[in-house]
Amino acid sequence: EGSTAKLSRSHEIVVDPSGLVSVMGGKWTTYRRMAQDAVDKILEVHRDKIRTRAPCRTKNLLIMGSHDHTGNFQPKEVSVLGGKLPLHLTKQYNLKLPTAEYLVRSYGFRALDVCELGKKEGLLDPLVPNQPFIRAEVVYAVRHEMGCTIPDVLGRRIRLAFVDADEASRIAHDTVRLMARELKWHFSQISEAEKEAKAFLHTMTYKNPAE
């Protein structure tokens, strides 16, 4: 008998008699290995239909944020331990060091893009007190990370809902307004988004049954 947790988090490549290649199971943290195994299996099964002979090259591709597209920083300088980027953000955008370090950990070199957006739009101020999140992240999530709902933005992008659901609830209205401006929502869409936000954030808040 094996562990059900282990079973659900591992992945397997399955080939249907029709030739359909499927990835079963897996987890987000191994998505590149899952992609590699799937592509390599497709090349093996359908070699007669595909021109390339090279295996999957994801292992050698840089992920977003791992390099500075402006050419001003070396890859090692993205580190929060002795790297130059966090200090650069504090000086260039007048951010507190914990905020700069958070942005670098979360976005890598894309933290520069987040801060530039914040500077241009006047959104470098904190999203909530006593947390490193800034309001520019909401707009960045909509424009560049396909954030379309409050669960998308506060749950899956910025993740404030997991860190402090009460604070997320308090700034949900402001977040909806920022998103509405970007997505050009009408009044009814804004109202629906706020209802969805309330319902989602309610599921993230623990209430002691004894209270």
Side-chain angles (χ1 to χ4, degrees):
E1 295 183 0
S3 167
T4 55
K6 181 178 179 181
L7 177 65
S8 64
R9 291 167 66 83
S10 61
H11 71 274
E12 183 177 353
I13 308 299
V14 177
V15 182
D16 189 82
S18 68
L20 175 67
V21 177
S22 302
V23 183
M24 314 298 287
K27 55 183 179 178
W28 289 116
T29 52
T30 60
Y31 75 96
R32 296 186 80 170
R33 180 54 190 266
M34 293 163 63
Q36 177 178 315
D37 290 348
V39 169
D40 288 346
K41 178 59 69 172
I42 291 170
L43 291 173
E44 175 189 327
V45 173
H46 298 291
R47 187 165 294 278
D48 60 321
K49 304 180 184 71
I50 302 173
R51 292 183 179 180
T52 183
R53 294 294 180 266
C56 180
R57 58 194 181 96
T58 186
K59 185 177 180 180
N60 299 314
L61 295 177
L62 296 175
I63 62 173
M64 292 182 66
S66 64
H67 65 288
D68 174 26
H69 60 80
T70 69
N72 294 323
F73 296 92
Q74 297 300 314
K76 64 181 180 181
E77 293 171 340
V78 76
S79 172
V80 296
L81 298 175
K84 294 181 180 179
L85 185 57
L87 291 177
H88 171 78
L89 297 182
T90 63
K91 295 176 182 178
Q92 185 72 18
Y93 301 101
N94 196 32
L95 298 174
K96 293 181 179 179
L97 184 58
T99 295
E101 290 177 339
Y102 152 75
L103 290 171
V104 170
R105 283 196 302 269
S106 300
Y107 298 93
F109 282 111
R110 289 188 301 155
L112 291 164
D113 300 329
V114 176
C115 290
E116 273 299 307
L117 185 154
K119 180 180 179 180
K120 180 180 179 182
E121 303 285 345
L123 297 171
L124 287 173
D125 49 316
L127 185 61
V128 296
N130 304 316
Q131 292 286 356
F133 312 103
I134 61 175
R135 297 176 74 229
E137 292 180 83
V138 174
V139 176
Y140 187 87
V142 174
R143 291 186 187 179
H144 304 287
E145 298 178 333
M146 297 185 290
C148 296
T149 66
I150 286 291
D152 280 343
V153 175
L154 294 184
R156 305 181 187 100
R157 306 302 190 278
I158 302 175
R159 302 186 69 78
L160 174 61
F162 291 92
V163 176
D164 193 329
D166 289 334
E167 286 290 357
S169 296
R170 277 189 276 274
I171 56 91
H173 178 76
D174 183 44
T175 303
V176 168
R177 296 293 167 176
L178 287 171
M179 295 177 65
R181 185 180 66 183
E182 291 297 311
L183 297 169
K184 297 179 173 56
W185 284 342
H186 299 297
F187 178 80
S188 60
Q189 292 172 297
I190 293 173
S191 178
E192 188 63 31
E194 290 186 334
K195 290 179 182 177
E196 180 184 27
K198 183 177 181 179
F200 167 69
L201 293 169
H202 178 73
T203 68
M204 305 299 293
T205 305
Y206 171 75
K207 297 296 183 183
N208 190 334
E211 293 181 352

